[in-house]
Amino acid sequence: MLTGSDRDRVEALLRERADGMVRGRRERRSQDADEHAVEGGEHARIEAHRARRTRVCVACGTTIAPARLELVPEAVRCVPCQQAHEAAP
């Protein structure tokens, strides 16, 4: 049987242990969320890269050449359609 002071010490130790377990769980969840965010950011970067490589011309519907997208990432028209667009009055 525990005396009053021993019981108080045991209860205090148990509370500290439980608090530590809760903190550990929170930290692991936070790390998991951070890792997921990094993975999500990587996925978004890859998707953006794919989108730049495979964009379709808004005028004729053909695929815009990857070399054009490397030089002009915001291009929405292929070279012939852009030339026609710029030449139009």
Side-chain angles (χ1 to χ4, degrees):
M1 176 88 45
L2 295 173
T3 64
S5 61
D6 289 337
R7 184 175 44 243
D8 291 343
R9 274 187 288 195
V10 168
E11 287 175 355
L13 289 171
L14 289 173
R15 275 193 299 277
E16 285 178 26
R17 178 72 176 142
D19 290 345
M21 291 172 68
V22 169
R23 276 192 305 276
R25 253 187 252 131
R26 285 184 187 143
E27 288 172 2
R28 283 190 298 279
R29 285 182 187 151
S30 177
Q31 288 171 350
D32 290 347
D34 290 346
E35 288 172 8
H36 183 68
V38 168
E39 290 169 3
E42 180 70 11
H43 179 71
R45 187 186 65 76
I46 290 168
E47 288 303 312
H49 180 69
R50 282 189 188 133
R52 283 192 303 273
R53 290 187 331 194
T54 58
R55 194 166 308 144
V56 174
C57 176
V58 296
C60 69
T62 61
T63 302
I64 300 173
R68 174 162 170 72
L69 293 174
E70 288 294 320
L71 293 173
V72 186
E74 68 278 2
V76 294
R77 294 178 189 87
C78 64
V79 171
C81 289
Q82 184 64 38
Q83 290 172 336
H85 178 76
E86 291 173 2

